[in-house]
Amino acid sequence: MSITIIIPTLRLDNTLRKLLLQLPSDVIIVNGGTDTHSLKKNNIINCNPGRGLQLKTGARFAKGDWLFFLHSDSMLAEGWQNALQKHMKTDDNKALVFSLRFDDIGFFPRLLEYWVRFRSYVFALPYGDQGFFISRKLYEDIGGYNDMPLMEDVDIIQRIGRKRLKLSSAIITTSAKKYIKYGYLIRMVRNGCCLVLYKLGVDPSIIKKIY
């Protein structure tokens, strides 16, 4: 069974280059930014910005039996490929997300990691920065990603449902840059407000202005 890795990005930068060093050859980078010249050796698709649209576009061009969606500011811990292989053998009717860590030290990054784990287990609500591994069949059965500027991860997880979702102990590390910039508490409160607004039916294009 083959795997295609899909990475939406707005910047073809060194952070993305570091991630690519960890990955096999079947990678699709969906670039929604203005830089169309870097990383020429990789499979780059240019499209309009918007994470939902970029993810949807990447999946449309993917050839793999399984799709692994990653954010461009992620890094995978050792053993991530084993986690995917095991999942394909034992839980091919479910989607898989990873356990999240932040590339920062201190109390608040660890608190946020515990909250993410709690949210994932109790509410079955992981976010896109935890990675998203799904068979093409299941992806197509649920209709895939929708063209949304924000909350595309919440939208697709809701359609999958708790019974078809699994949280792996494998670690994925993501950038804490936006939390450091705005402050952890402020960023967490803002994220929570965005989620509440989405649940209340507010248009994601409006929510993005707050995010």
Side-chain angles (χ1 to χ4, degrees):
M1 290 181 286
S2 59
I3 300 171
T4 298
I5 299 171
I6 299 164
I7 306 172
T9 187
L10 297 176
R11 301 176 190 86
L12 304 176
D13 57 13
N14 287 332
T15 303
L16 176 56
R17 288 183 176 89
K18 290 179 181 178
L19 173 60
L20 291 174
L21 291 174
Q22 295 187 289
L23 304 178
S25 57
D26 191 3
V27 177
I28 293 176
I29 299 167
V30 189
N31 176 37
T34 57
D35 183 356
T36 60
H37 302 290
S38 303
L39 302 171
K40 289 183 180 179
K41 293 182 180 180
N42 293 282
N43 190 3
I44 299 178
I45 299 169
N46 294 302
C47 78
N48 291 329
R51 189 171 284 156
L53 174 61
Q54 290 173 256
L55 293 166
K56 185 182 183 73
T57 301
R60 190 168 69 246
F61 283 91
K63 297 179 180 178
D65 305 305
W66 285 76
L67 309 175
F68 190 23
F69 298 93
L70 288 174
H71 285 188
S72 62
D73 59 356
S74 299
M75 291 296 290
L76 295 157
E78 185 177 349
W80 68 270
Q81 289 175 301
N82 292 335
L84 299 191
Q85 293 294 332
K86 180 180 178 181
H87 183 78
M88 287 191 293
K89 293 177 181 177
T90 60
D91 293 290
D92 62 353
N93 60 336
K94 296 181 180 181
L96 181 75
V97 297
F98 281 23
S99 296
L100 190 67
R101 284 187 183 167
F102 290 91
D103 62 350
D104 191 18
I105 60 174
F107 171 75
F108 285 109
R110 305 294 80 81
L111 175 65
L112 183 53
E113 289 166 2
Y114 280 117
W115 164 244
V116 170
R117 193 173 299 117
F118 176 82
R119 186 189 67 211
S120 299
Y121 273 118
V122 176
F123 301 113
L125 192 60
Y127 287 168
D129 50 13
Q130 291 175 248
F132 185 61
F133 185 57
I134 186 171
S135 70
R136 177 180 292 279
K137 181 181 183 304
L138 180 55
Y139 178 84
E140 292 177 351
D141 284 348
I142 63 173
Y145 278 103
N146 286 318
D147 181 359
M148 302 168 63
L150 197 69
M151 296 295 171
E152 79 293 331
D153 46 1
V154 177
D155 171 69
I156 198 168
I157 288 296
Q158 285 179 332
R159 285 181 280 127
I160 288 172
R162 179 186 298 273
K163 292 182 179 180
R164 294 188 294 186
L165 184 66
K166 184 176 180 180
L167 178 64
S168 173
S169 60
I171 300 297
I172 187 169
T173 301
T174 192
S175 172
K177 186 181 296 184
K178 62 180 177 287
Y179 291 94
I180 295 171
K181 180 178 180 179
Y182 297 104
Y184 277 87
L185 289 178
I186 293 174
R187 183 73 258 182
M188 291 168 69
V189 169
R190 186 179 293 181
N191 288 350
C193 289
C194 290
L195 179 60
V196 170
L197 290 173
Y198 176 72
K199 293 287 188 178
L200 292 174
V202 176
D203 190 309
S205 61
I206 296 175
I207 300 174
K208 186 177 181 179
K209 296 177 182 179
I210 301 171
Y211 181 82

